[in-house]
Amino acid sequence: MSLHGAALIPMVVLTGAASVLLAILLVRWWDRGPGRNRPRLPQGLESSLKPMVMLFRDGVLVDATPPARALLDRFSAPEGDWARLLQWIGPRFPDAIEALGRIDRLGRFESLGQSGSGSAALRLVAEGIDAGLLRITITDPQAEYAGIIVDSMSQQAMEEELDLLRRSLDQTPMLVWRQDAEERVTWANAAYLRRAEAQGDEPIGWPLPRLLESPRPVPGAGTRTRRASLNQNGAVSWYDCHSHHVGDQVMMFALPADAAVRAERSLREFVQTLTKTFADLPIGLAIFDRQRQLQLFNPALIDLTSLPTGFLTARPTLFDLLDKLRELRMVPEPKDFRSWRQQMSNLESAAATGHHVEEWSLPGGQTYRVTGRPHPDGAVAFLFEDITSEMSLTRKFRAEMSLGHNILDNIGEAVAVFSPEGQMAMTNQVYRDLWPAAPDSLGGALASWQAHAEAGPGFEALRARLAGSEGALRDTGLIKGPGGQLLGWSVTRLPGGRQMVRFRLPDPATQSDPAGQRLLTAGTAL
């Protein structure tokens, strides 16, 4: 190689190096030029790396990073952003509230958070930059030296929520567990573990035993429910089991249902008692719902109305039942169909609004008492009672009473009966003709007798006898009546404390005999 060729080699090397360096500088200048497209971090990652810094001037937020603004937006305080910040700082940095009030003298304050655990422990730094200007910085101490800034507030919130969920599941009285595809228990809460430990004397192992036969949910069908029992040392506990798919596993929830089971058992026993009672009642019972369809009836209804059992079990409406009764001639004979329908409509409306009673005189000679009573939720109940014997007895009693009154009215004496309380219980026609006024009490009768009769020893003896005064031993005597005629009186005690007073005219010879007049004056008994 010639000397000239050897001298060109270093020049070529230097020229190449200079070209490479120039190319690198041009690439960097082009990348940093305005308007150039440069590779950037993903937006979510870039925002998560931003620090949480807030700048306040005299309690007013001047500037803040996006994570800091997101923190303040989580709270609502009408006093402003400073109050929102204190609302978040208070439970996490107990000593920060007092220190922030003295930040003008302290200049700088730093506190490590008391809330959270692990990497969720936060650090708060407050710095007084200028008069009235304060900078608040919230960081994660463990992330500072790793070269990144993590949103520790989110991590702390997740850990707090996780701790809350764990405590809630452990303190709940219901059993919660998870099963895999082979129905093995892969997780359970504290209540389930306590139940499993109480089932046997030996410590439980893994996998955990299954306590309840819970329902298997159908994929896509949502939650399924089933009631299951758990027998522990002879004591049976009931649970309402709910199952739900979570991925390829199943979450089970067993809610205590002992109270519901006891209530249902009591309700069944009560219904059975009512059913037996209704079956033994001699009164026909028919209960209709708010749509007026028959929901309940007893055997006495069939016996009283001769309605077919198949007809009643088909749950007819109220008007269908009344129409059937009309066909069987078990309702009062109507004048026409229209008036009968109106009468039945009135019966239904009266029974629905309040207590209603009717008496049906049937063509066959029976008499039924039909009672309508409203029930809750718009239902109505009808009771059919055969009162034929009662009505016959009432008619017989009324006939005997009428006969007794006729007998009293046709005897020749004036009769009045007083109750133990001194009320007028009965009089006959002769008494009403004799005495112009007929007061309804013993005191009123005595006043009337005194006003229309002549006072004397006979009347005083009558007053004393009716008043029950001591020493009044006379049951008979004489008084002068309203027309001046001589009347003989007598008082008779009746059962129940009643008293009967009779007035009778003496013989005509006694009326004209002067001796009789002397007896009247002396008040001597006849």
Side-chain angles (χ1 to χ4, degrees):
M1 178 179 299
S2 63
L3 181 62
H4 180 71
L8 289 177
I9 293 176
M11 294 182 62
V12 173
V13 173
L14 291 175
T15 303
S19 301
V20 172
L21 181 61
L22 180 60
I24 293 175
L25 292 176
L26 289 175
V27 169
R28 289 189 176 183
W29 175 82
W30 181 265
D31 183 60
R32 294 181 181 180
R36 302 294 187 266
N37 292 326
R38 302 187 301 272
R40 300 175 60 87
L41 291 173
Q43 185 175 358
L45 180 61
E46 185 179 6
S47 61
S48 65
L49 298 178
K50 293 181 180 178
M52 189 178 299
V53 182
M54 289 160 277
L55 195 63
F56 288 88
R57 181 181 295 277
D58 297 327
V60 179
L61 183 66
V62 177
D63 195 8
T65 59
R69 292 188 182 276
L71 169 66
L72 297 177
D73 291 340
R74 298 184 182 183
F75 300 90
S76 60
E79 295 83 359
D81 294 322
W82 180 252
R84 296 181 184 180
L85 178 62
L86 296 181
Q87 186 177 355
W88 181 83
I89 289 177
R92 294 166 175 81
F93 303 92
D95 55 344
I97 301 298
E98 181 182 358
L100 288 175
R102 299 183 289 110
I103 195 64
D104 294 337
R105 296 192 300 271
L106 296 177
R108 188 178 186 277
F109 169 75
E110 182 175 335
S111 175
L112 190 63
Q114 301 295 323
S115 180
S117 60
S119 61
L122 302 178
R123 176 183 295 165
L124 181 143
V125 178
E127 301 172 290
I129 300 176
D130 198 355
L133 189 63
L134 178 65
R135 180 171 63 188
I136 304 292
T137 305
I138 301 173
T139 58
D140 180 3
Q142 296 188 9
E144 290 179 349
Y145 304 103
I148 59 172
I149 300 176
V150 180
D151 187 1
S152 298
M153 184 190 66
S154 300
Q155 183 177 354
Q156 177 181 342
M158 288 187 293
E159 290 192 4
E160 291 176 352
E161 183 177 4
L162 179 60
D163 182 68
L164 176 62
L165 292 176
R166 285 174 177 171
R167 292 177 181 271
S168 300
L169 284 176
D170 287 341
Q171 295 175 2
T172 182
M174 68 177 175
L175 310 182
V176 184
W177 71 99
R178 183 178 60 191
Q179 295 180 181
D180 57 13
E182 287 74 24
E183 298 187 355
R184 293 174 298 190
V185 179
T186 60
W187 175 87
N189 69 336
Y192 188 96
L193 296 177
R194 289 192 296 267
R195 276 289 187 175
E197 291 174 352
Q199 287 295 104
D201 299 332
E202 299 180 358
I204 59 175
W206 199 264
L208 298 174
R210 290 181 57 195
L211 299 180
L212 297 170
E213 291 296 331
S214 53
R216 295 290 297 175
V218 179
T223 302
R224 294 187 62 187
T225 305
R226 178 182 176 223
R227 179 163 292 173
S229 62
L230 178 61
N231 193 330
Q232 181 178 346
N233 299 327
V236 179
S237 301
W238 289 91
Y239 293 89
D240 286 332
C241 300
H242 304 262
S243 59
H244 188 76
H245 265 294
V246 179
D248 58 347
Q249 298 198 0
V250 179
M251 289 297 300
M252 302 292 184
F253 305 89
L255 281 70
D258 292 333
V261 171
R262 287 194 298 267
E264 292 172 0
R265 185 182 297 114
S266 299
L267 180 60
R268 286 195 302 268
E269 293 174 354
F270 179 69
V271 171
Q272 291 175 359
T273 302
L274 286 181
T275 303
K276 294 179 181 178
T277 303
F278 291 158
D280 296 335
L281 279 178
I283 300 174
L285 175 67
I287 299 179
F288 297 85
D289 60 15
R290 65 190 324 177
Q291 284 77 32
R292 298 298 178 262
Q293 283 190 322
L294 182 64
Q295 296 296 325
L296 179 65
F297 66 93
N298 65 341
L301 181 67
I302 301 175
D303 298 336
L304 292 174
T305 61
S306 301
L307 289 170
T309 305
F311 173 77
L312 294 175
T313 55
R315 294 187 176 183
T317 64
L318 173 60
F319 290 102
D320 290 340
L321 186 141
L322 294 175
D323 287 338
K324 191 68 174 180
L325 289 177
R326 180 172 176 268
E327 294 177 7
L328 298 174
R329 296 175 59 83
M330 297 303 297
V331 295
E333 193 67 33
K335 295 181 180 179
D336 53 56
F337 182 76
R338 179 176 299 178
S339 63
W340 180 82
R341 292 292 293 184
Q342 183 62 40
Q343 180 183 357
M344 294 301 102
S345 297
N346 296 339
L347 172 65
E348 186 271 337
S349 58
T353 55
H355 182 76
H356 181 72
V357 180
E358 285 188 2
E359 290 184 1
W360 287 2
S361 297
L362 305 182
Q366 304 105 318
T367 302
Y368 284 1
R369 179 186 291 125
V370 181
T371 305
R373 297 176 181 270
H375 274 227
D377 200 22
V380 63
F382 286 94
L383 290 82
F384 296 84
E385 182 179 2
D386 188 356
I387 59 172
T388 305
S389 58
E390 178 184 338
M391 293 300 296
S392 299
L393 184 61
T394 302
R395 294 189 188 100
K396 183 178 179 180
F397 177 75
R398 288 176 181 174
E400 292 179 353
M401 288 289 294
S402 177
L403 177 61
H405 281 292
N406 291 331
I407 293 174
L408 285 177
D409 290 340
N410 286 278
I411 64 176
E413 295 181 351
V415 178
V417 179
F418 298 93
S419 68
E421 294 79 18
Q423 298 295 320
M424 182 79 74
M426 183 184 300
T427 60
N428 65 346
Q429 189 62 42
V430 179
Y431 177 89
R432 292 189 293 272
D433 294 340
L434 177 63
W435 301 102
D440 57 355
S441 65
L442 179 58
L446 287 173
S448 175
W449 299 340
Q450 185 177 8
H452 295 87
E454 184 176 330
F459 184 81
E460 294 301 326
L462 174 62
R463 181 193 298 273
R465 176 66 182 77
L466 292 175
S469 302
E470 294 182 1
L473 303 177
R474 295 173 55 184
D475 291 335
T476 61
L478 293 172
I479 63 172
K480 196 168 185 180
Q485 72 275 33
L486 187 64
L487 294 177
W489 61 264
S490 65
V491 178
T492 305
R493 291 188 178 275
L494 300 177
R498 299 178 180 87
Q499 298 185 91
M500 180 176 66
V501 181
R502 293 181 295 169
F503 298 95
R504 62 185 181 278
L505 291 172
D507 295 335
T510 306
Q511 295 281 347
S512 59
D513 187 2
Q517 296 295 329
R518 288 194 301 271
L519 287 174
L520 173 64
T521 304
T524 304
L526 291 174

